[in-house]
């Protein structure tokens, strides 16, 4: 099943709003599984990039549970989200529409980072940092994998 036009780009931007590295890790995992993205992305063909994206995705999931973890709306957090969303949005856009996919993903990621942070803070107050983070991790990882699975095809 294929998702229409730029929908995958917008959805991967929403994923990046909650976890900056998850879109890249999902794309890297799909590439390792032999799946191809509609848009061109040369970086995904480089083994160092693939394994680096997976490691950064795992590191972010672990680091998010630390009390010292900065808010996702801090400058560097927003920058990481914008970069990851842009690259992933381009990769999931139809060929020839990569720039539009990147722009749409970034346009979704940045404002949604504030919304997902507000939701996470409410969950933290009720369930604690670790438990709320683990639930958010599961939801975001599943969403990222699902978006990439719907957009990617067997290579």
């Amino acid at each position: 099943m294929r998702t229409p036009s730029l929908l995958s780009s917008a959805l991967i931007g929403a994923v990046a709003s909650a976890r900056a590295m998850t879109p890249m890790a999902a794309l890297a995992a799909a590439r390792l599984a032999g799946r191809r993205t509609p848009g061109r992305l040369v970086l995904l063909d480089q083994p160092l990039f693939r394994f680096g994206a997976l490691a950064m995705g795992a590191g972010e999931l672990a680091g998010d549970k630390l009390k010292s973890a900065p808010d996702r709306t801090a400058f560097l957090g927003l920058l990481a989200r914008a970069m990851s969303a842009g690259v992933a949005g381009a990769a999931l856009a139809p060929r020839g529409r990569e720039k539009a996919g990147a722009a749409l993903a970034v346009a979704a990621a940045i404002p949604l980072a504030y919304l997902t942070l507000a939701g996470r803070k409410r969950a933290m107050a009720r369930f604690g940092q670790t438990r709320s983070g683990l639930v958010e991790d599961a939801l975001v990882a599943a969403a990222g994998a699902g978006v990439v699975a719907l957009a990617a095809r067997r290579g």
Side-chain angles (χ1 to χ4, degrees), residues 141-155:
V147 169
V148 171
L150 287 174
R153 63 189 185 287
R154 282 271 161 219

PDB file of all heavy atoms in Angstrom, residues 141-155:
ATOM      1  N   ALA A 141       8.294   5.345  17.956  1.00  0.00           N
ATOM      2  CA  ALA A 141       9.024   4.354  17.154  1.00  0.00           C
ATOM      3  C   ALA A 141       8.066   3.602  16.232  1.00  0.00           C
ATOM      4  O   ALA A 141       8.380   3.373  15.053  1.00  0.00           O
ATOM      5  CB  ALA A 141       9.770   3.381  18.059  1.00  0.00           C
ATOM      6  N   ALA A 142       6.909   3.229  16.747  1.00  0.00           N
ATOM      7  CA  ALA A 142       5.920   2.533  15.912  1.00  0.00           C
ATOM      8  C   ALA A 142       5.420   3.438  14.795  1.00  0.00           C
ATOM      9  O   ALA A 142       5.275   2.999  13.646  1.00  0.00           O
ATOM     10  CB  ALA A 142       4.754   2.051  16.775  1.00  0.00           C
ATOM     11  N   ALA A 143       5.181   4.690  15.116  1.00  0.00           N
ATOM     12  CA  ALA A 143       4.725   5.635  14.089  1.00  0.00           C
ATOM     13  C   ALA A 143       5.794   5.823  13.015  1.00  0.00           C
ATOM     14  O   ALA A 143       5.495   5.802  11.816  1.00  0.00           O
ATOM     15  CB  ALA A 143       4.366   6.973  14.721  1.00  0.00           C
ATOM     16  N   GLY A 144       7.045   5.998  13.433  1.00  0.00           N
ATOM     17  CA  GLY A 144       8.130   6.168  12.462  1.00  0.00           C
ATOM     18  C   GLY A 144       8.286   4.955  11.567  1.00  0.00           C
ATOM     19  O   GLY A 144       8.399   5.077  10.341  1.00  0.00           O
ATOM     20  N   ALA A 145       8.261   3.774  12.167  1.00  0.00           N
ATOM     21  CA  ALA A 145       8.381   2.543  11.379  1.00  0.00           C
ATOM     22  C   ALA A 145       7.197   2.394  10.433  1.00  0.00           C
ATOM     23  O   ALA A 145       7.363   2.002   9.270  1.00  0.00           O
ATOM     24  CB  ALA A 145       8.483   1.336  12.306  1.00  0.00           C
ATOM     25  N   GLY A 146       6.018   2.734  10.909  1.00  0.00           N
ATOM     26  CA  GLY A 146       4.825   2.615  10.073  1.00  0.00           C
ATOM     27  C   GLY A 146       4.836   3.564   8.889  1.00  0.00           C
ATOM     28  O   GLY A 146       4.521   3.168   7.765  1.00  0.00           O
ATOM     29  N   VAL A 147       5.202   4.800   9.141  1.00  0.00           N
ATOM     30  CA  VAL A 147       5.256   5.793   8.054  1.00  0.00           C
ATOM     31  C   VAL A 147       6.263   5.360   6.994  1.00  0.00           C
ATOM     32  O   VAL A 147       5.973   5.378   5.797  1.00  0.00           O
ATOM     33  CB  VAL A 147       5.605   7.194   8.602  1.00  0.00           C
ATOM     34  CG1 VAL A 147       5.934   8.163   7.479  1.00  0.00           C
ATOM     35  CG2 VAL A 147       4.466   7.730   9.456  1.00  0.00           C
ATOM     36  N   VAL A 148       7.434   4.941   7.434  1.00  0.00           N
ATOM     37  CA  VAL A 148       8.473   4.530   6.481  1.00  0.00           C
ATOM     38  C   VAL A 148       8.040   3.252   5.754  1.00  0.00           C
ATOM     39  O   VAL A 148       8.218   3.139   4.536  1.00  0.00           O
ATOM     40  CB  VAL A 148       9.827   4.348   7.194  1.00  0.00           C
ATOM     41  CG1 VAL A 148      10.858   3.700   6.271  1.00  0.00           C
ATOM     42  CG2 VAL A 148      10.344   5.695   7.689  1.00  0.00           C
ATOM     43  N   ALA A 149       7.423   2.320   6.458  1.00  0.00           N
ATOM     44  CA  ALA A 149       6.980   1.067   5.830  1.00  0.00           C
ATOM     45  C   ALA A 149       5.932   1.335   4.745  1.00  0.00           C
ATOM     46  O   ALA A 149       5.934   0.691   3.694  1.00  0.00           O
ATOM     47  CB  ALA A 149       6.429   0.112   6.869  1.00  0.00           C
ATOM     48  N   LEU A 150       5.039   2.279   4.996  1.00  0.00           N
ATOM     49  CA  LEU A 150       3.999   2.591   4.007  1.00  0.00           C
ATOM     50  C   LEU A 150       4.581   3.284   2.766  1.00  0.00           C
ATOM     51  O   LEU A 150       4.058   3.121   1.673  1.00  0.00           O
ATOM     52  CB  LEU A 150       2.923   3.461   4.634  1.00  0.00           C
ATOM     53  CG  LEU A 150       1.990   2.763   5.603  1.00  0.00           C
ATOM     54  CD1 LEU A 150       1.055   3.760   6.266  1.00  0.00           C
ATOM     55  CD2 LEU A 150       1.194   1.660   4.912  1.00  0.00           C
ATOM     56  N   ALA A 151       5.625   4.066   2.971  1.00  0.00           N
ATOM     57  CA  ALA A 151       6.186   4.835   1.850  1.00  0.00           C
ATOM     58  C   ALA A 151       7.275   4.092   1.083  1.00  0.00           C
ATOM     59  O   ALA A 151       7.444   4.311  -0.110  1.00  0.00           O
ATOM     60  CB  ALA A 151       6.759   6.167   2.369  1.00  0.00           C
ATOM     61  N   ALA A 152       8.007   3.221   1.762  1.00  0.00           N
ATOM     62  CA  ALA A 152       9.134   2.534   1.120  1.00  0.00           C
ATOM     63  C   ALA A 152       8.639   1.308   0.356  1.00  0.00           C
ATOM     64  O   ALA A 152       7.555   0.793   0.585  1.00  0.00           O
ATOM     65  CB  ALA A 152      10.157   2.123   2.181  1.00  0.00           C
ATOM     66  N   ARG A 153       9.463   0.860  -0.556  1.00  0.00           N
ATOM     67  CA  ARG A 153       9.123  -0.304  -1.369  1.00  0.00           C
ATOM     68  C   ARG A 153      10.329  -1.245  -1.420  1.00  0.00           C
ATOM     69  O   ARG A 153      11.452  -0.844  -1.127  1.00  0.00           O
ATOM     70  CB  ARG A 153       8.713   0.121  -2.767  1.00  0.00           C
ATOM     71  CG  ARG A 153       9.822   0.803  -3.536  1.00  0.00           C
ATOM     72  CD  ARG A 153       9.344   1.419  -4.838  1.00  0.00           C
ATOM     73  NE  ARG A 153      10.415   1.967  -5.607  1.00  0.00           N
ATOM     74  CZ  ARG A 153      11.087   3.072  -5.334  1.00  0.00           C
ATOM     75  NH1 ARG A 153      10.801   3.769  -4.277  1.00  0.00           N
ATOM     76  NH2 ARG A 153      12.045   3.502  -6.114  1.00  0.00           N
ATOM     77  N   ARG A 154      10.066  -2.450  -1.802  1.00  0.00           N
ATOM     78  CA  ARG A 154      11.173  -3.410  -1.952  1.00  0.00           C
ATOM     79  C   ARG A 154      12.117  -2.925  -3.028  1.00  0.00           C
ATOM     80  O   ARG A 154      11.692  -2.479  -4.086  1.00  0.00           O
ATOM     81  CB  ARG A 154      10.646  -4.788  -2.344  1.00  0.00           C
ATOM     82  CG  ARG A 154      10.074  -5.527  -1.197  1.00  0.00           C
ATOM     83  CD  ARG A 154      11.152  -6.329  -0.524  1.00  0.00           C
ATOM     84  NE  ARG A 154      10.701  -6.674   0.822  1.00  0.00           N
ATOM     85  CZ  ARG A 154      11.470  -6.673   1.876  1.00  0.00           C
ATOM     86  NH1 ARG A 154      12.718  -6.365   1.796  1.00  0.00           N
ATOM     87  NH2 ARG A 154      11.007  -6.993   3.044  1.00  0.00           N
ATOM     88  N   GLY A 155      13.411  -2.955  -2.702  1.00  0.00           N
ATOM     89  CA  GLY A 155      14.409  -2.452  -3.628  1.00  0.00           C
ATOM     90  C   GLY A 155      14.906  -3.501  -4.529  1.00  0.00           C
ATOM     91  O   GLY A 155      15.569  -3.333  -5.477  1.00  0.00           O
TER      92      GLY A 155
END
